Amino acid sequence: MSSTTTPRSVAIPYSSKTLKLSSFSIPSNESAKAASQRFVTAHPTYLQTSAIDDLRRREFTRLDKSGVYLDYTGAGLYPESLIREHTDLLLGNVFGNPHSASPSSVLSSKYAHAARLAVLNFFDADPSEYEVVFTNNASTALRIVAEAYPYSKGADSKLILPTDAHNSVNGMREFALKAGAQVTYVPMEAPGKQTFLAPEDGAESLYVLTGQSNLSGLKGNLSLLAEAKSRGYNTLLDAAALAPTTAISLRSLKGSVDAMAISLYKLIGYPTGIGCFVAKKEFLTKLQKPWFSGGSVLVVQAPNMGRLLLDGHERWEDGTVNFLSLIAIPRGLQILHNHLPTLTQRLPLLMHFTLSSLASLKHSNGKPVVDLHSPSGPDEYSPSTHGAVISMSFLKPSGERFLPHDIENAASRANIHVRAGCLCNPGASTTLTGMTEMLNNFDMKRVDAEGKQDTPSSVSESYASNEDMEWFIRDGGVVRMGFGLASAISDAAAFVEFSRTFVDVTEATKDGKTVGAPKLKKIADAEIIRDELPELKKRNSVMFTKLRGIRRRVSQIF
C-alpha cells in the first residue's frame, strides 16, 4: 500500500444528546489564544472551574516547563504533594514484608488495608459485597479473570467482547478459545443495539464491556451490564480509561458488575505498577486459580501434591504485594475525588472548544485540515457518551492523509505530548479509518498453525507474506489527544495553533527534509528491487532482515 492512501472513514453513531453550548469557530486571522479567550467570555461557566487552575498552579508546576500534555489517556499526572507526602512516610517509618507479625509488617498491612478501603470508597462499593485484589496493572487484572474463568467444558459457554477494546481485553479470548468457548465481538457501529442470547443449559459465560475506549473515547452503555446479568452472564467492566474522569458508583449499578479492572497510574499518575480488580466476593469464589504461589496459599504438601489456598484477595495476590507503593493510594484517590466534580464540568467545555476549532480549520481550497474520527465534530459530542478524548487524522490539501507518526513527531518537536498509531486498539483504529478489511485479510495462519506459540521464525514468515502488514504496523492508526485532571484551555489552544501550521502544507518536514513522503525518482532501480521480493519471501527467517531493508528502500523511492 502506498503511504499516501486515504482510507474510507466510517461514521460511528452517537447519542442524540448533545451539549447545549454556543456554536463556535475560529476565523483564519484569529490566533487560537485569542479565540480561547473569546470562548471563555462566551461560556462563563468555564470560570466556575477555576479550582482546576488553582490545583495546576499548586500541584503541577512542572507543566510550565514540560510543554503541553495531552496524553492523559496514556498516563495520568501525579500531584507534587502526593510524591512529597509519600516520600516523607517512607523516610519516617520502617515498612516490612506484610506476611508477618513484626511491627514493620503490621505497619505495612495497615496501609495496605487502608488502600483497599480507599479503592472501595472511591468507587462507592459495598465492602461486604466487593473485594479489592491488587495487581501490577489493569491488564493483569483482566488476565486473572480470563485465565481463571470456569468456562463449561463440552457446553455452550460464551465470551462476548467489544470490538472497540484494548488488546488486553482482546487477549482474554485466548483462554476462552482454549476452553472451547464461543467468542463473539459486538460491532462498533451498533453498541446500543446489542441483544443477548442466553447461554444454553446454564453454561458459564462472560460479558466484557469497555467503560471508555482508549482510542475512540466512546463510553460503554453501562445498562448493558444489567441486561447481560439478566441473561445469565457474568460481567466484567474495563474501567481503565473511564475512571480517571468519570465518577463510578458500583452501588448505584446495583450488582450488575461482577468485576472491574483499573490501573492506578491512569487515575492519578502515581504509583505506577499498581492496578487492581474490584470483584464481588461470590464471583471470586467461582474463579478457578490454575496455580499457587507464596502469599496465596495456607498449606502446601511437599513432596505430596496437596495444597490449601487462602480466601479473598490473598488467594489472587501472588507473592508480596507492592506494599511501599500502596501507601500512596489513599491520598492520591482523595485528591482526584475532591476535584472530580469540577473536572466533569470543565472537560466538556475543553472538548467543545477543541472540536469546534479543529473543525473550522480549512485549507485554501476549502478542504478540512483535520479529519475528526471520534467525535466526528462538536455537534456529535456529548459527555454522556464520549470521554475527553479526540482521535483524528491530519489531511493534506489534496485530501490525502498524513502519516499519524509524522504528526506525532511534529508535535513532539513543538513540545506537545500526543500519541499516534493503533494505540493497542485495532478494532476502533481500523473501524474509524476504514482499514478493517485490510487487517482481516492479513494471513496470520503461519503464526497460529497447530496452536504453537509464536516464534521469531513464524512471525517473520507471516510478516513477509503480507504486502501491507509492514505499512499497517508502522503507519496505520490515528492521532489521539486527551484532557485530564490538570488540563486548561491554554492546552487546547496550543494544540489548535499547532494544527493550524498544517494549513496548505503538503508534506511533514523535519529540518527541511521530507518525512515519510513519496519520492518519484529512480523508477528503474525500484523495479529491480521489486523483482527480488518474491524470491526473498521463499527464504527462511535469516533473510527477513534483508527483506525489510529492501522494502524500506522501495518506500523511500516511492
Side-chain angles (χ1 to χ4, degrees), residues 99 133 289 295-297 310-318:
H99 297 148
V133 177
K289 190 172 184 179
S296 66
V297 66
L310 292 166
D311 291 327
H313 63 265
E314 292 177 304
R315 176 181 292 234
W316 303 100
E317 292 173 348
D318 292 321

Side-chain angles (χ1 to χ4, degrees), residues 208-281:
V208 184
L209 181 69
T210 298
Q212 178 181 305
S213 169
N214 71 307
L215 189 145
S216 71
L218 281 169
K219 291 183 177 181
N221 183 355
L222 299 187
S223 66
L224 292 173
L225 295 166
E227 174 69 13
K229 287 287 290 183
S230 70
R231 297 284 183 171
Y233 288 82
N234 287 120
T235 58
L236 172 62
L237 175 63
D238 174 14
L242 178 67
T245 57
T246 304
I248 300 173
S249 170
L250 292 177
R251 206 182 303 264
S252 297
L253 291 172
K254 299 179 179 179
S256 61
V257 178
D258 286 319
M260 180 180 72
I262 61 167
S263 284
L264 270 302
Y265 78 95
K266 299 278 189 182
L267 275 78
I268 199 66
Y270 182 84
T272 56
I274 296 286
C276 72
F277 67 98
V278 184
K280 284 184 179 179
K281 295 178 179 181

